[in-house]
């Protein structure tokens, strides 16, 4: 391994263990394509890698840094600027000596604060010298390199916004704590995530330039080769890296050439109209998809050594830039119909209507091809990656990619249920019912003030929010921001009392107490028994629960699903951040049989107690959807009432009453009273239903007056 490559593998902790070579990756063609395109043109806006656990997502990102070309940097610049380029740097102009260094890979931990990311006031200089100096953050360190965020879906939304803004603008602007500064931050942003742990919101998905879904190969030969190379790398890291050193050096040289060539790639009018037709054909929102696709197509052309964009460049770019932009509703799955993509690419511009009509610019310079002259698919695309040769693996952008495993036309609604039995058939004890379109649910929140993770549901003391007080030095919770005004007041009061030094000291520090909203554990407990089994009624119940899931998604909650029917209860979905998984389990939920209400309440209490041990700060909201009947086991109703009486402070609960018909027994209302829970009818789950109730009551009071 040469000196440059060895230096590139040095991590932030100082380890010199060689990284797994980028060219040694097997079965990850689409992933390596996206990473290389983003490295060629950072203006694309970064890459989001979605995939199941154990699919080498992190390995590929860390390996990319070792093949990036070396950089010339200004010696005295805190931001690592290019001395040959005017970057409007606060440390400029750069007229001194320059040095050469490998491209940086900066990893952002999930628990990072905004101060650490964007930079903040240098407290040492502020307290010692009274100077409002800027301390650069991770965005400054990652300038001209890679900023890698593992588990980006678990990062706070405001931090994701900050990162995506910097990736799109190429600059980081800080206006806080007496600091006003703007510095270059041209980063290649790469985020990885496991969808099982929760999805990114559609507005954040759209901000990533490219996305790729990674899944483990089902080909035994490919899987065996992956295992073989991993074992070899673990047994002899240096020897394995040396084996691929030539391929790595060749890839680095090709990257450097492509980075220079991408500026000269031509995007003519016909190409831009083709890209616009493709994006419009997939009905994506906004214009970001068109811009990203154009940049990615130019990068692909530069990688292939062309000075103009071809059909295959557009196809390769669209496969990476459009799938995640098809996701509009929270429960939509990303995906792309490749047959539709090919039809849009082969579609010819319409002729001008006879007798005039809207003219197309430069139409005469681009003669249309005949109907039989459409270009063949994949005329020059390289072959898929092969694992037959260990020394020459195929790595790089591909003109074709494996089909996206997610269906492009899946809707936010639950999957279709199995067909119902024909008329006159013997009824079965179980069945399924499909939910309809979810609606906006009424707001349910916990009483009191919590201290859980930041969210949008219940009042809590959080790291961000409205300042309601201060903590003295040494008593502040982790992550609480410094309250500058209170700190200066404490210092002034101490000096007035003539105690201690005349400057601000650590004992003068005051930290803000901020009040905002927290995310909660929302445990949905659904009665799926025969008393709820009327198909129309169960469809209404599932729609209400799906609407509550949508509300939990918007409020950043964790969700769990308990169902009870027949003779017992089960935890259908352990508490998770993935409301998509909860929606899928809800769609599959059968119904029918007796009503084991006591067993359901016992399972709910067990889940809440277990989650409280795991995180004492996260409060639980139980939403119990039932008609209150209990028919399973001896003395079923009495056992259920006894458990409800002993519910105590297990969790705050809302009982959604599903009883219907003219004559009602009121069992759910009695259950809610025994549990000290709020009682609402199923029809009141919708926010519009609540508005109608309030409106009717107001009108009645006015008429009575």
């Amino acid at each position: 391994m040469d000196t440059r490559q060895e230096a590139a593998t040095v991590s932030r902790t100082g380890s010199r263990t060689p990284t797994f070579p980028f060219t040694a990756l097997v079965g990850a063609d689409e992933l390596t394509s996206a990473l290389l395109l983003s490295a060629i043109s950072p203006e694309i806006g970064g890459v989001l890698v979605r995939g199941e656990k154990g699919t080498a997502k992190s390995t590929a990102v860390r390996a990319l840094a070792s093949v990036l070309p070396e950089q010339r940097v200004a010696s005295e610049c805190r931001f690592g600027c290019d001395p040959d380029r005017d970057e409007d740097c606060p440390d400029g102009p750069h007229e001194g000596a320059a040095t050469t260094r490998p491209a940086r890979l900066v990893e952002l931990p999930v628990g990072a604060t905004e101060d650490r990311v964007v930079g903040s006031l240098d407290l040492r200089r502020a307290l010692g010298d009274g100077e409002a100096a800027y301390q650069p953050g991770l965005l400054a360190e990652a300038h001209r390199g890679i900023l890698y965020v593992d588990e980006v879906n678990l990062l706070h939304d405001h931090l994701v916004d900050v990162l995506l803004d910097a990736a799109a603008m190429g600059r980081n602007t800080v206006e806080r704590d007496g600091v006003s500064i703007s510095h270059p931050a041209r980063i290649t942003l790469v985020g990885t995530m496991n969808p099982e742990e929760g999805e990114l919101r559609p507005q954040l998905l759209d901000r990533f330039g490219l996305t790729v879904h990674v899944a483990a190969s089902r080909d035994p030969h490919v899987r065996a080769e992956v295992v073989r190379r991993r074992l070899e790398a673990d047994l002899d890291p240096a020897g394995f890296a040396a084996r691929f050193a030539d391929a790595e050096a060749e890839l680095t040289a090709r990257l450097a050439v492509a980075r220079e060539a991408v500026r000269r790639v031509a995007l003519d009018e016909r190409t831009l109209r083709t890209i616009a037709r493709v994006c419009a054909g997939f009905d994506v929102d906004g214009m970001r998809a068109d811009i990203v696709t154009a940049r990615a197509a130019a990068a692909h052309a530069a990688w292939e050594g062309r000075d103009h964009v071809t059909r295959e460049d557009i196809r390769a770019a669209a496969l990476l830039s459009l799938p995640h932009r098809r996701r509009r509703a929270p429960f939509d799955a990303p995906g792309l119909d490749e047959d539709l993509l090919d039809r849009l690419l082969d579609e010819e511009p319409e002729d001008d209507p006879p007798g005039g009509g809207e003219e197309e610019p430069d139409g005469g310079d681009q003669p249309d091809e005949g109907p039989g002259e459409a270009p063949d698919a994949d005329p020059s695309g390289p072959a898929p990656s092969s694992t037959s040769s260990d020394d020459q693996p195929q790595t790089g952008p591909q003109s074709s990619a494996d089909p996206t495993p997610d269906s492009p036309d899946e809707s936010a609604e639950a999957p279709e249920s199995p067909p119902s039995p024909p008329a006159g058939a013997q009824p079965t004890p179980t069945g399924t019912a499909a939910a309809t379109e979810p609606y906006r649910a009424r707001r349910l929140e916990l009483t009191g003030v919590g201290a859980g993770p930041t969210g949008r549901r219940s009042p809590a003391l959080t790291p961000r929010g409205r300042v309601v007080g201060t903590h003295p030095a040494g008593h502040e919770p982790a992550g609480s921001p410094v309250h500058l005004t209170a700190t200066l007041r404490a210092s002034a009061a101490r000096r007035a009392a003539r105690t201690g030094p005349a400057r601000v000291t650590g004992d003068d520090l005051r930290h803000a107490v901020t009040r905002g909203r927290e995310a909660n554990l929302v445990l949905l407990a659904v009665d799926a028994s025969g008393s709820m089994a009327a198909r129309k009624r169960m469809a209404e119940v599932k729609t209400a629960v799906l609407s509550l899931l949508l509300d939990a998604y918007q409020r950043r909650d964790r969700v769990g699903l308990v169902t009870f029917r027949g003779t017992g209860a089960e935890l259908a979905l352990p508490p998770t951040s993935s409301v998509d998984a909860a929606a899928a389990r809800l769609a599959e939920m059968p119904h029918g049989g007796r009503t084991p209400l006591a067993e359901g309440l016992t399972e709910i209490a067990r889940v809440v107690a277990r989650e409280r041990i795991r995180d004492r700060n996260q409060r639980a909201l139980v939403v119990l959807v039932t008609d209150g009947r209990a028919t399973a086991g001896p003395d079923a109703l009495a056992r259920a009432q006894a458990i409800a009486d002993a519910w105590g402070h297990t969790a705050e609960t809302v009982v959604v009453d599903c009883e219907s018909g003219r004559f009602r027994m009121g069992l759910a209302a009695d259950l809610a009273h025994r549990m000290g829970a709020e009682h609402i009818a199923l029809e009141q789950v919708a926010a519009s239903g609540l508005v109608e109730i309030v409106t009717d009551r107001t009108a009645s009071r006015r008429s009575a007056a």
Side-chain angles (χ1 to χ4, degrees):
M1 183 184 300
D2 60 20
T3 304
R4 185 207 62 80
Q5 188 173 350
E6 182 179 359
T9 64
V10 178
S11 70
R12 293 171 55 83
T13 60
S15 172
R16 288 185 174 271
T17 302
T19 59
F20 193 91
F22 193 78
T23 52
L25 295 170
V26 177
D29 299 334
E30 197 174 14
L31 171 58
T32 56
S33 298
L35 292 175
L36 289 174
L37 291 180
S38 188
I40 293 170
S41 178
E43 292 80 8
I44 287 174
V47 181
L48 176 65
V49 185
R50 305 171 69 254
E52 57 196 30
K53 48 189 175 292
T55 50
K57 301 185 295 293
S58 300
T59 299
V61 176
R62 295 186 177 105
L64 177 65
S66 64
V67 298
L68 294 180
E70 285 188 326
Q71 303 171 343
R72 292 185 72 245
V73 298
S75 300
E76 302 300 326
C77 180
R78 294 174 294 169
F79 308 97
C81 289
D82 186 349
D84 302 323
R85 176 175 176 174
D86 182 13
E87 301 197 69
D88 190 19
C89 175
D91 290 352
H94 305 112
E95 299 176 350
T99 60
T100 301
R101 74 174 188 193
R104 285 181 173 177
L105 170 66
V106 176
E107 298 189 29
L108 177 68
V110 172
T113 62
E114 185 175 359
D115 287 351
R116 185 69 187 96
V117 174
V118 303
S120 62
L121 180 70
D122 189 333
L123 286 178
R124 184 181 300 275
R125 295 175 62 180
L127 297 179
D129 305 330
E131 178 184 356
Y134 173 68
Q135 181 176 4
L138 295 179
L139 285 175
E141 293 184 35
H143 176 45
R144 302 174 65 198
I146 301 172
L147 182 60
Y148 172 45
V149 187
D150 193 13
E151 306 293 355
V152 65
N153 52 325
L154 303 183
L155 202 65
H156 287 303
D157 285 353
H158 74 279
L159 281 182
V160 179
D161 269 331
V162 168
L163 297 177
L164 292 170
D165 280 339
M169 303 298 296
R171 296 194 70 80
N172 175 41
T173 301
V174 182
E175 296 284 351
R176 58 187 304 170
D177 297 334
V179 174
S180 177
I181 193 171
S182 177
H183 67 80
R186 290 186 292 109
I187 60 174
T188 300
L189 178 64
V190 182
T192 57
M193 59 173 282
N194 183 352
E196 294 177 356
E197 298 172 346
E199 283 280 3
L200 274 174
R201 282 149 183 76
Q203 67 270 26
L204 296 179
L205 274 175
D206 182 62
R207 298 285 300 279
F208 275 95
L210 309 178
T211 188
V212 57
H213 184 92
V214 183
S217 173
R218 297 300 182 258
D219 185 342
H221 299 288
V222 175
R223 296 176 73 97
E225 183 63 23
V226 170
V227 174
R228 182 181 299 110
R229 294 191 180 190
R230 182 73 261 178
L231 294 178
E232 291 177 3
D234 292 343
L235 184 63
D236 183 12
F240 187 78
R243 175 178 159 192
F244 289 91
D246 291 342
E248 295 278 281
E250 182 180 346
L251 181 59
T252 299
R254 187 177 176 185
L255 259 177
V257 172
R259 280 184 162 186
E260 292 296 325
V262 71
R263 305 174 187 176
R264 302 188 295 272
V265 173
L267 284 162
D268 56 28
E269 182 65 24
R270 188 183 187 87
T271 298
L272 292 177
R273 281 191 292 168
T274 300
I275 292 173
R277 184 171 66 248
V278 168
C279 295
F282 281 104
D283 199 25
V284 295
D285 293 331
M287 295 299 299
R288 186 175 284 118
D290 304 61
I291 297 171
V292 170
T293 304
R295 287 172 173 165
H300 191 274
W303 175 259
E304 296 295 337
R306 292 187 286 267
D307 60 0
H308 62 283
V309 172
T310 66
R311 175 191 186 278
E312 295 315 311
D313 297 323
I314 300 174
R315 188 181 194 278
L319 287 172
L320 298 172
S321 64
L322 297 184
H324 58 302
R325 294 186 167 88
R326 297 268 294 160
R327 187 180 193 231
R328 297 186 175 185
F331 303 134
D332 287 349
L336 198 68
D337 184 344
E338 294 193 38
D339 291 336
L340 175 58
L341 174 60
D342 289 330
R343 290 197 300 271
L344 291 170
L345 288 170
D346 293 337
E347 185 179 313
E348 294 299 323
E350 296 181 359
D351 296 330
D352 291 341
E358 190 175 68
E359 296 184 359
E360 294 186 10
D362 300 329
D365 297 336
Q366 300 291 342
D368 293 340
E369 295 179 357
E373 298 176 4
D376 295 334
D378 300 339
S380 59
S385 177
S386 171
T387 60
S388 60
S389 170
D390 290 346
D391 296 329
Q392 297 297 331
Q394 296 288 338
T395 304
Q398 305 292 324
S399 60
S400 63
D402 294 335
T404 304
D406 293 320
S407 171
D409 295 323
E410 289 182 359
S411 69
E413 298 178 2
E416 291 291 330
S417 61
S420 57
Q426 182 68 23
T428 57
T430 62
T432 57
T436 57
E437 187 70 22
Y439 45 75
R440 186 169 67 89
R442 65 180 291 182
R443 180 170 188 160
L444 303 174
E445 65 178 48
L446 299 175
T447 59
V449 180
T454 302
R456 294 185 176 180
R457 183 171 296 277
S458 305
L461 298 178
T462 58
R464 296 171 59 86
R466 180 170 56 90
V467 177
V468 295
T470 59
H471 291 289
H475 295 81
E476 73 280 359
S480 60
V482 173
H483 194 295
L484 187 59
T485 305
T487 298
L488 295 177
R489 281 201 303 264
S491 176
R494 178 182 50 76
R495 289 198 301 270
R498 302 181 181 277
T499 59
R503 56 185 176 83
V504 178
T505 67
D507 292 336
D508 297 326
L509 285 178
R510 297 293 182 269
H511 293 260
V513 178
T514 51
R515 180 167 175 170
R517 290 194 174 270
E518 65 178 357
N520 297 123
L521 167 62
V522 177
L523 187 61
L524 299 167
V526 182
D527 180 353
S529 62
S531 62
M532 306 272 289
R535 179 167 293 275
K536 182 178 179 182
R537 195 60 175 173
M538 182 51 85
E540 293 175 355
V541 168
K542 286 191 174 183
T543 301
V545 176
L546 188 65
S547 302
L548 291 170
L549 280 175
L550 179 61
D551 182 68
Y553 170 90
Q554 294 168 341
R555 300 191 189 282
R556 314 319 194 238
D557 295 317
R558 295 174 68 233
V559 295
L561 179 63
V562 171
T563 63
F564 50 98
R565 52 180 286 273
T567 59
E570 67 168 336
L571 180 60
L573 179 71
T576 176
S577 298
S578 178
V579 292
D580 294 31
R585 298 292 175 87
L586 177 68
E588 300 166 357
M589 184 185 72
H591 57 80
R594 300 178 70 83
T595 309
L597 180 58
E599 286 76 7
L601 295 176
T602 302
E603 180 64 21
I604 294 169
R606 185 182 298 118
V607 174
V608 170
R610 184 168 59 243
E611 292 301 313
R612 182 170 295 169
I613 293 174
R614 292 179 177 176
D615 185 356
R616 288 192 168 275
N617 288 330
Q618 185 164 57
R619 298 189 290 167
L621 172 64
V622 175
V623 180
L624 177 59
V625 184
T626 182
D627 57 7
R629 301 188 184 188
T631 59
D635 301 322
L637 183 58
R639 287 190 298 116
Q641 291 176 341
I643 295 174
D645 289 336
W647 190 261
H649 299 287
T650 299
E652 291 194 43
T653 307
V654 175
V655 175
V656 179
D657 189 348
C658 298
E659 192 174 23
S660 60
R662 181 175 299 178
F663 302 103
R664 305 191 181 190
M665 302 175 63
L667 294 176
D670 178 65
L671 180 67
H673 175 72
R674 292 174 179 273
M675 298 175 66
E678 180 182 359
H679 171 261
I680 62 175
L682 180 64
E683 294 77 12
Q684 297 175 18
V685 172
S688 58
L690 180 64
V691 171
E692 292 172 2
I693 292 172
V694 174
T695 303
D696 292 344
R697 288 181 179 177
T698 304
S700 300
R701 290 173 182 173
R702 287 177 178 174
S703 60

